[in-house]
Coordinates of all heavy atoms in Angstrom, one line a residue:
M22 N 141.3 129.2 171.9 CA 142.5 129.3 172.7 C 143.7 128.8 171.9 O 143.6 128.1 171.0 CB 142.3 128.5 174.0 CG 141.2 128.9 174.9 SD 141.1 127.9 176.4 CE 142.6 128.3 177.2
G23 N 144.8 129.3 172.3 CA 146.1 128.9 171.7 C 147.3 129.6 172.2 O 147.2 130.1 173.4
W24 N 148.3 129.6 171.4 CA 149.6 130.3 171.8 C 150.1 131.2 170.8 O 150.1 130.9 169.6 CB 150.7 129.2 172.1 CG 150.6 128.6 173.5 CD1 151.3 129.0 174.6 CD2 149.9 127.5 173.8 NE1 151.0 128.2 175.6 CE2 150.1 127.2 175.2 CE3 149.0 126.6 173.2 CZ2 149.6 126.2 175.9 CZ3 148.4 125.5 173.9 CH2 148.7 125.3 175.2
Y25 N 150.5 132.4 171.2 CA 151.4 133.2 170.5 C 152.8 133.0 171.1 O 153.0 132.6 172.2 CB 151.0 134.7 170.6 CG 149.9 135.1 169.7 CD1 148.6 134.8 170.1 CD2 150.1 135.9 168.6 CE1 147.5 135.2 169.3 CE2 149.0 136.3 167.8 CZ 147.7 136.0 168.2 OH 146.7 136.4 167.4
R26 N 153.8 133.4 170.3 CA 155.2 133.4 170.8 C 155.9 134.7 170.4 O 155.6 135.3 169.4 CB 156.0 132.2 170.4 CG 156.3 132.1 168.9 CD 156.9 130.8 168.5 NE 157.3 130.7 167.1 CZ 157.7 129.6 166.5 NH1 157.9 128.5 167.2 NH2 158.0 129.7 165.2
Q27 N 156.9 135.1 171.2 CA 157.6 136.2 170.9 C 159.1 136.0 171.3 O 159.4 135.7 172.4 CB 157.1 137.5 171.7 CG 157.7 138.8 171.2 CD 156.9 140.0 171.7 OE1 156.2 139.9 172.7 NE2 157.0 141.1 171.0
A28 N 160.0 136.2 170.3 CA 161.4 136.1 170.5 C 162.0 137.5 170.5 O 161.4 138.5 170.0 CB 162.0 135.3 169.4
P29 N 163.1 137.7 171.2 CA 163.7 139.0 171.3 C 163.9 139.6 169.9 O 164.4 139.0 169.0 CB 165.1 138.8 171.9 CG 164.8 137.5 172.7 CD 163.9 136.7 171.9
G30 N 163.4 140.9 169.8 CA 163.6 141.6 168.5 C 162.6 141.2 167.4 O 162.7 141.7 166.3
K31 N 161.7 140.3 167.7 CA 160.7 139.8 166.8 C 159.3 140.2 167.2 O 159.0 140.4 168.4 CB 160.8 138.3 166.6 CG 162.2 137.8 166.2 CD 162.6 138.3 164.8 CE 163.9 137.7 164.4 NZ 164.3 138.1 163.0
E32 N 158.4 140.3 166.2 CA 157.0 140.5 166.5 C 156.3 139.3 167.1 O 156.8 138.1 166.8 CB 156.2 141.0 165.3 CG 156.7 142.3 164.7 CD 155.8 142.7 163.5 OE1 154.9 142.0 163.1 OE2 156.1 143.8 163.0
R33 N 155.3 139.5 167.9 CA 154.6 138.4 168.4 C 153.8 137.7 167.3 O 153.2 138.4 166.5 CB 153.6 138.8 169.5 CG 152.8 137.7 170.2 CD 152.0 138.3 171.3 NE 152.8 138.8 172.4 CZ 152.3 139.3 173.5 NH1 151.0 139.3 173.7 NH2 153.2 139.8 174.4
E34 N 153.9 136.4 167.2 CA 153.2 135.7 166.1 C 152.4 134.5 166.7 O 152.7 133.9 167.7 CB 154.3 135.1 165.1 CG 155.2 134.1 165.7 CD 156.2 133.5 164.7 OE1 156.0 133.7 163.5 OE2 157.1 132.7 165.1
L35 N 151.3 134.3 165.9 CA 150.4 133.1 166.3 C 151.1 131.8 166.0 O 151.6 131.6 164.8 CB 149.1 133.2 165.6 CG 148.1 132.1 165.8 CD1 147.6 132.1 167.3 CD2 146.9 132.2 164.9
V36 N 151.2 130.9 166.9 CA 151.7 129.6 166.7 C 150.7 128.6 166.4 O 150.8 127.9 165.4 CB 152.5 129.1 168.0 CG1 153.1 127.7 167.8 CG2 153.6 130.1 168.3
A37 N 149.7 128.5 167.2 CA 148.6 127.5 167.0 C 147.4 128.0 167.8 O 147.5 128.7 168.8 CB 149.0 126.1 167.4
A38 N 146.2 127.6 167.3 CA 145.0 127.9 168.0 C 144.0 126.8 167.7 O 144.0 126.1 166.7 CB 144.4 129.3 167.5
I39 N 143.0 126.7 168.6 CA 141.9 125.7 168.5 C 140.6 126.3 169.1 O 140.6 126.9 170.1 CB 142.3 124.4 169.2 CG1 141.2 123.3 169.0 CG2 142.6 124.6 170.7 CD1 141.7 121.9 169.4
T40 N 139.6 126.1 168.3 CA 138.3 126.6 168.8 C 137.6 125.6 169.7 O 138.1 124.4 169.8 CB 137.3 126.9 167.6 OG1 137.0 125.6 167.0 CG2 138.0 127.8 166.6
S41 N 136.6 126.0 170.4 CA 135.9 125.1 171.3 C 135.2 123.9 170.5 O 135.0 122.9 171.0 CB 134.8 125.8 172.1 OG 134.0 126.7 171.2
G42 N 135.0 124.2 169.2 CA 134.5 123.1 168.3 C 135.6 122.2 167.7 O 135.3 121.2 167.0
G43 N 136.9 122.5 168.0 CA 138.0 121.6 167.5 C 138.7 122.1 166.3 O 139.6 121.3 165.8
T44 N 138.3 123.2 165.7 CA 139.0 123.7 164.5 C 140.4 124.2 164.8 O 140.5 125.1 165.7 CB 138.2 124.7 163.8 OG1 136.9 124.2 163.4 CG2 138.9 125.2 162.5
T45 N 141.4 123.8 164.2 CA 142.8 124.2 164.5 C 143.4 125.1 163.4 O 143.0 125.0 162.3 CB 143.7 122.9 164.7 OG1 143.7 122.2 163.5 CG2 143.2 122.1 165.8
T46 N 144.3 125.9 163.9 CA 145.1 126.7 163.0 C 146.6 126.7 163.4 O 146.9 126.6 164.6 CB 144.6 128.2 163.1 OG1 143.3 128.3 162.7 CG2 145.5 129.1 162.2
Y47 N 147.5 126.6 162.5 CA 148.9 126.5 162.7 C 149.7 127.5 161.9 O 149.3 127.7 160.7 CB 149.5 125.1 162.5 CG 148.9 124.0 163.3 CD1 147.9 123.2 162.9 CD2 149.4 123.8 164.6 CE1 147.3 122.2 163.7 CE2 148.9 122.8 165.4 CZ 147.9 122.0 164.9 OH 147.4 121.0 165.7
A48 N 150.7 128.0 162.5 CA 151.7 128.8 161.7 C 152.4 127.8 160.7 O 152.6 126.7 161.0 CB 152.7 129.4 162.6
D49 N 152.7 128.3 159.5 CA 153.3 127.5 158.5 C 154.6 126.9 159.1 O 155.0 125.7 158.7 CB 153.6 128.3 157.2 CG 152.4 128.6 156.5 OD1 151.4 127.9 156.7 OD2 152.4 129.5 155.6
S50 N 155.4 127.6 159.9 CA 156.6 127.2 160.4 C 156.6 126.0 161.3 O 157.6 125.3 161.6 CB 157.4 128.3 161.1 OG 156.6 128.8 162.1
V51 N 155.4 125.7 161.9 CA 155.3 124.6 162.9 C 154.4 123.5 162.4 O 154.3 122.5 163.1 CB 154.7 125.1 164.2 CG1 155.6 126.3 164.7 CG2 153.3 125.5 164.1
K52 N 153.8 123.6 161.2 CA 152.9 122.5 160.7 C 153.7 121.2 160.5 O 154.8 121.2 160.0 CB 152.3 122.9 159.3 CG 151.3 124.0 159.4 CD 150.7 124.4 158.0 CE 149.6 125.4 158.1 NZ 149.1 125.8 156.8
G53 N 153.1 120.2 161.0 CA 153.7 118.9 161.0 C 154.6 118.6 162.2 O 155.0 117.4 162.4
R54 N 154.9 119.6 163.0 CA 155.7 119.4 164.2 C 155.0 119.6 165.5 O 155.2 118.9 166.4 CB 157.0 120.3 164.1 CG 157.9 120.1 162.9 CD 159.1 120.9 163.0 NE 158.9 122.4 163.0 CZ 159.2 123.2 164.0 NH1 159.8 122.7 165.1 NH2 158.9 124.5 164.0
F55 N 154.1 120.6 165.4 CA 153.3 120.9 166.6 C 151.8 120.4 166.5 O 151.3 120.4 165.4 CB 153.2 122.4 166.9 CG 154.6 123.0 167.2 CD1 155.7 122.3 167.2 CD2 154.6 124.4 167.6 CE1 156.9 122.9 167.5 CE2 155.8 125.0 168.0 CZ 157.0 124.3 167.9
T56 N 151.2 120.0 167.6 CA 149.8 119.6 167.6 C 149.1 120.3 168.8 O 149.6 120.1 169.9 CB 149.7 118.1 167.7 OG1 150.4 117.5 166.6 CG2 148.2 117.7 167.6
I57 N 148.1 120.9 168.5 CA 147.3 121.6 169.6 C 146.0 120.7 169.8 O 145.4 120.2 168.9 CB 147.0 123.0 169.2 CG1 146.4 123.7 170.5 CG2 146.0 123.1 168.0 CD1 146.3 125.3 170.3
S58 N 145.6 120.6 171.0 CA 144.4 119.9 171.4 C 143.8 120.6 172.6 O 144.4 121.4 173.3 CB 144.7 118.4 171.7 OG 145.7 118.3 172.8
R59 N 142.6 120.1 173.0 CA 142.0 120.7 174.2 C 141.1 119.7 174.9 O 140.6 118.8 174.2 CB 141.2 122.0 173.8 CG 140.1 121.8 172.9 CD 139.5 123.2 172.5 NE 138.9 123.9 173.7 CZ 138.7 125.2 173.7 NH1 139.0 126.0 172.7 NH2 138.2 125.8 174.8
D60 N 140.9 119.9 176.1 CA 140.0 119.2 176.9 C 139.0 120.2 177.5 O 139.3 120.9 178.5 CB 140.7 118.4 178.1 CG 139.8 117.6 178.9 OD1 138.6 117.8 178.9 OD2 140.3 116.6 179.5
N61 N 137.8 120.3 176.9 CA 136.9 121.3 177.3 C 136.4 121.1 178.7 O 136.0 122.1 179.4 CB 135.7 121.3 176.3 CG 136.1 121.9 174.9 OD1 137.0 122.6 174.8 ND2 135.3 121.5 173.9
A62 N 136.3 119.9 179.1 CA 135.8 119.6 180.5 C 136.8 120.2 181.5 O 136.4 120.5 182.6 CB 135.6 118.1 180.7
K63 N 138.1 120.2 181.2 CA 139.1 120.8 182.1 C 139.5 122.2 181.8 O 140.3 122.8 182.5 CB 140.3 119.9 182.1 CG 140.1 118.5 182.6 CD 141.4 117.7 182.5 CE 141.2 116.3 183.0 NZ 142.4 115.5 182.9
N64 N 138.9 122.8 180.7 CA 139.2 124.1 180.3 C 140.7 124.2 180.1 O 141.4 125.2 180.4 CB 138.7 125.2 181.3 CG 137.2 125.3 181.3 OD1 136.6 125.2 180.3 ND2 136.7 125.4 182.5
T65 N 141.3 123.2 179.5 CA 142.7 123.1 179.3 C 143.1 122.9 177.8 O 142.4 122.1 177.2 CB 143.3 122.0 180.1 OG1 143.1 122.3 181.5 CG2 144.8 121.9 179.9
V66 N 144.1 123.6 177.3 CA 144.6 123.3 176.0 C 146.1 122.8 176.1 O 146.8 123.2 177.1 CB 144.5 124.5 175.1 CG1 143.1 124.9 174.8 CG2 145.3 125.7 175.7
Y67 N 146.5 122.0 175.2 CA 147.8 121.4 175.1 C 148.5 121.7 173.8 O 147.8 121.7 172.8 CB 147.8 119.9 175.4 CG 147.0 119.5 176.6 CD1 145.6 119.2 176.5 CD2 147.6 119.4 177.8 CE1 144.9 118.8 177.6 CE2 146.9 119.1 178.9 CZ 145.6 118.7 178.8 OH 144.9 118.4 180.0

């Protein structure tokens, strides 16, 4: 699970993602600023 974002006139891009096992992925533009996490018991990502 994670987030894509889309700005007007721009392509949709992956921002961040996290697997059920906790492996994370970030766009280079947000590394160090954004943090993705999840609570599997609540089926919620932040």
Side-chain angles (χ1 to χ4, degrees):
M22 297 180 67
W24 276 268
Y25 282 76
R26 68 185 180 188
Q27 188 164 27
K31 303 294 184 180
E32 294 184 358
R33 183 175 297 183
E34 63 175 353
L35 178 68
V36 179
I39 184 168
T40 70
S41 48
T44 300
T45 58
T46 300
Y47 296 97
D49 288 341
S50 60
V51 308
K52 287 181 179 177
R54 300 187 297 120
F55 292 9
T56 302
I57 191 168
S58 61
R59 65 186 295 162
D60 184 338
N61 288 337
K63 297 180 179 179
N64 294 319
T65 299
V66 294
Y67 307 93

